[in-house]
Each structure stands twice: as structure tokens, then as C-alpha cells.
Amino acid sequence: MRVVDSVLDLIGNTPMVKLNRVTNEGMADVYVKCENLNPSGSLKDRIVLEMIREAEAEGKLKPGYTIIEASTGNTGTAVSFVGGYLGYKVEIYMPEGMTLERIRLMECYGAEVHQLELESISEDESVAGAEVEIGTRQRCLELERTRPKTWWARQFSNPANTRAHYKTGLEIYYQMEGRVDAFVASIGVGGTLYGVAKALKGENPDVRIVGVEPASANYPISEGHYRMPGFSDEITGGIIEEMMESGIVDEVVKVTNRNAIEMSDRLVKEEGLFCGISSGANVYHALKVAAEMGPGRRVATVLPDNRDRYLSEKKYTT
Ligand SMILES: Cc1ncc(COP(=O)(O)O)c(C=O)c1O
């Protein structure tokens, strides 16, 4: 068994599991990378550690500073965890309407959570990360400009995000012994898909890279919306725009909230994988790609987060 010097050493190097119950005969094998097993419950632990370490090395983040971030939950929780562990004060700016568990998780790690009023998000709609975060990014920008000793992590445009997931991609490549035919991942701010795509295509340019977005997105990436109209470069664009313009993504598809939730329920009940809604979206589409590719091929995807942060959502209690 592994013994580590600090909890931060538990970030990354997550296991991969082959799906057995939600798959059918006649399709490619599907493997999921269990990012829900990172210490604070999501793949955001990776990017936060990378962003903080780089900012420290560059002298942008120093002892006594406050780390701020705009987040719907996972990045906020990861900043609360890593930032708190490293002795920084943490403030998270969240859109209103997220589950109480997410706020409590951040508070458990010692963060201060600020909820900002936003245009309403329908109960039935899934949330496109960039759209729902825009107001909270604006607040972080104002704070960074006006308040001393404040460092904004800026996950949506920080290159350390993509670099952290380049490592995720290499892990996948080596765990699957180089045999990956397709990779599928939902796009929030884009770091996972872009970083993993760079690693996998660097090893094998024929790997098919598929992005997933919520069918309810107001500005779908699949229809060429790589930034939010009407906002400055400082709070929109970023990784998504660079990734899409690079041509590394072969296709972006839409998955409905209903299909994502149904599949995430099946992953918990049938596969025993305690994961959230975007995991359901990822696997729902990974199975489609696997059916297209057929036996003998291998499709990889990620389970971005843990189900614990959604338990009080009505849609999960049916
Ligand atoms: C639950 C969940 N799934 C998927 C993603 C997508 O990750 P990324 O921001 O790297 O595109 C995020 C984050 O934005 C997330 O919180």
C-alpha cells in the first residue's frame, strides 16, 4: 500500500475502471478514469494544485494572500482544499442556486463562500460552465484589480489548467497501454478535453477526440460559440476558444440533461461508481462512440466528480 508525505500527493494518478453493466456486446470497450476519487472529490484538484504552484513560483501568489475563484462547485471546493491546506485564505464566488452541499464542502475546508444573484437557471436545464460563471468572473476581476494581496486563479484561461490535464492524458495513455481509440469528455472551461487531447494526439494523431456539452447551452460550442458574446477577453474565451481554434477536437456533441442524469443513475446503481451528472453525459456519449467503433476498439472517458455534491438536488431523488 502507498504511503505519502502529504494529502496533496494523493491528487491525480486515479484508477481506471472498465464498464461492464451499461455496455452491450458488439461495442468497443469503455474505460472510465475515476476523477471522483481525487481528495476533494473532483478532477479540479489537479488544476488547482498546478495553478497555485505555478503562481507561487512566479511570485504572483505569496504567503498572506487571498486566493479567489469563480466556480459552480468543483473548482471552488478544490481551491478551498488545496489553498486552505497551503495556508491561504480562500474566497469563492458562486452563482446562486447551487446545492447546499457544495457550499458546505467549501466551508468545511475553511473557505468563505459568496453567492451572487444571476439570471435564473431552469431546474430542468443542465449548466454550461462558461455561461453560468460569467457574473462571478466579473466579480473576481474587479476584486483582483482593486484589492491588494489577492490572486485570482482564473481556471477558464489559466494555461496551468491545460498543463495539469496533459498529465491526466498521459496517465490515460499509459494506463491503457497506448491503446486508446477515442476519448470523450464534457466541456466546462475546457481544460480536461484540451489537456488530454494534447497528450493523446501527441502519442497517436488518429485518436478521436469528442467534446460533450449540455443540450440546453444558450451559446453552444458545437455551433461555433467559443466565447460569450458581449464580454471582454478578461472573462470569456480562454481555453475553450484556443482549443476549438486549434482544431484538436474532432467533434462536439450535445447531451440532454435527462440522458446525463439517467446514465449517472445507472453508473451508481449498476456499476457502483458514485459519480455526478457530467459523468453520466460522458458515458452516455462514450457508449455511442463505442457502438460506432465496434469490438476490439477502446474508448476512454472521465468521471469528473463525486455524487455527494448533488445529493439534495431534486432530480437525483426520484
Ligand atoms: C462536474 C464537472 N464535469 C465536467 C467539468 C469539465 O471540466 P473542464 O472545466 O476541464 O472542461 C467540470 C468543470 O468545469 C465539472 O465541474
Side-chain angles (χ1 to χ4, degrees), residues 130-150:
E131 282 176 30
V132 80
E133 265 174 33
I134 204 84
T136 53
R137 287 182 198 166
Q138 183 64 44
R139 175 64 60 88
C140 287
L141 180 65
E142 284 157 17
L143 282 169
E144 186 192 50
R145 279 182 179 159
T146 55
R147 210 175 61 182
K149 294 190 175 180
T150 299

Side-chain angles (χ1 to χ4, degrees), residues 194 197 201 209 226 240-251:
Y194 196 23
K201 285 224 179 186
I209 301 295
Y226 305 159
I240 289 176
E241 188 170 29
E242 184 186 319
M243 170 175 74
M244 295 310 296
E245 287 181 349
S246 77
I248 202 166
V249 178
D250 295 299
E251 62 209 278

